[in-house]
Amino acid sequence: AQKVTQAQTEISVVEKEDVTLDCVYETRDTTYYLFWYKQPPSGELVFLIRRNSFDEQNEISGRYSWNFQKSTSSFNFTITASQVVDSAVYFCALRRLSYDKVIFGPGTSLSVIP
Amino acid sequence: NAGVTQTPKFQVLKTGQSMTLQCAQDMNHEYMSWYRQDPGMGLRLIHYSVGAGITDQGEVPNGYNVSRSTTEDFPLRLLSAAPSQTSVYFCASNPSPYGEAFFGQGTRLTVV
């Protein structure tokens, strides 16, 4: 069975702190894709990153970085020097090779306090 | 640069009423999907389409119908609304099966 767990329901940090959002997934597939999306208070969903199961390189984009570890089935997301604009709900998602199979985690609500 | 456009943004229905949520994209994407978002459950796939004339069921298809007569449009029909269908609905399109999803702004539906 496929599953995505985001154990942190809500996180609150003070501006400029670093914060890591956890994502743990379950799948029996050897080929799959992992995603992170951001949903700010305005409600839209914004794509952040995609990773395929064969690419375990960590990625950094500005203040954002992602740590993909197949050995622990985790795809964690770190925001460095958080800002108020980072306040949002963040979703981790797993997609199998077939287009119909996509599983979203329940989301982590991040509040960055000025 | 419209992207994915959903209408309406808000809707209140009475139990048993039917309605259609509209979704249109102008990016010429073959792949389109409908999701519902409920608190604590992330997004769940309702129906999807891999091209004009081709649709299939996702994880939670009951109570919903879709059609895809053109590449641009992918409407979602609620046949007989039930309070359990109160949710936020998102339409999305993808340029490829495994590519990033481009989401519409969402439709907040309340069934009373």
Side-chain angles (χ1 to χ4, degrees):
Chain A
Q2 284 192 298
K3 187 178 180 181
V4 175
T5 301
Q6 294 180 258
Q8 304 148 309
T9 304
E10 296 181 2
I11 300 176
S12 185
V13 299
V14 177
E15 198 171 21
K16 298 184 183 177
E17 286 184 347
D18 299 347
V19 58
T20 295
L21 310 183
D22 297 332
C23 173
V24 175
Y25 63 92
E26 294 178 26
T27 181
R28 293 180 181 176
D29 295 339
T30 55
T31 302
Y32 51 87
Y33 292 81
L34 295 163
F35 300 81
W36 276 96
Y37 289 91
K38 174 183 180 180
Q39 186 175 41
S42 52
E44 73 272 23
L45 283 150
V46 179
F47 165 81
L48 295 177
I49 191 171
R50 179 188 73 167
R51 259 292 174 265
N52 72 55
S53 52
F54 297 107
D55 182 2
E56 288 194 68
Q57 276 195 330
N58 292 330
E59 179 152 341
I60 299 174
S61 177
R63 296 184 296 106
Y64 294 172
S65 62
W66 291 268
N67 184 356
F68 176 30
Q69 293 196 348
K70 285 182 77 170
S71 60
T72 56
S73 296
S74 65
F75 186 40
N76 297 337
F77 172 32
T78 298
I79 301 174
T80 303
S82 60
Q83 299 177 2
V84 172
V85 293
D86 296 327
S87 296
V89 179
Y90 292 87
F91 292 98
C92 181
L94 168 68
R95 183 182 284 280
R96 295 176 65 185
L97 275 185
S98 55
Y99 186 68
D100 62 321
K101 290 297 184 184
V102 57
I103 304 294
F104 278 79
T108 296
S109 178
L110 173 65
S111 296
V112 181
I113 303 166
Chain B
N1 195 7
V4 180
T5 303
Q6 283 182 243
T7 55
K9 291 185 180 178
F10 301 94
Q11 182 71 49
V12 179
L13 288 178
K14 293 183 179 179
T15 297
Q17 285 184 319
S18 62
M19 79 159 295
T20 300
L21 306 185
Q22 300 292 343
C23 176
Q25 53 97 2
D26 61 0
M27 297 174 283
N28 202 32
H29 290 169
E30 292 293 330
Y31 301 88
M32 297 187 72
S33 309
W34 276 101
Y35 298 85
R36 58 178 290 172
Q37 182 181 15
D38 301 293
M41 302 187 73
L43 280 76
R44 291 181 293 169
L45 183 64
I46 304 171
H47 284 286
Y48 67 98
S49 170
V50 299
I54 306 170
T55 64
D56 209 338
Q57 298 179 349
E59 180 185 357
V60 288
N62 292 339
Y64 308 95
N65 272 356
V66 292
S67 61
R68 185 96 180 270
S69 56
T70 67
T71 299
E72 294 78 20
D73 299 302
F74 191 42
L76 177 72
R77 297 183 186 84
L78 279 71
L79 308 172
S80 178
S84 60
Q85 294 178 304
T86 293
S87 188
V88 180
Y89 291 84
F90 285 96
C91 178
S93 73
N94 300 60
S96 66
Y98 321 117
E100 66 189 86
F102 293 80
F103 286 90
Q105 298 160 305
T107 296
R108 185 172 294 275
L109 175 68
T110 301
V111 183
V112 298

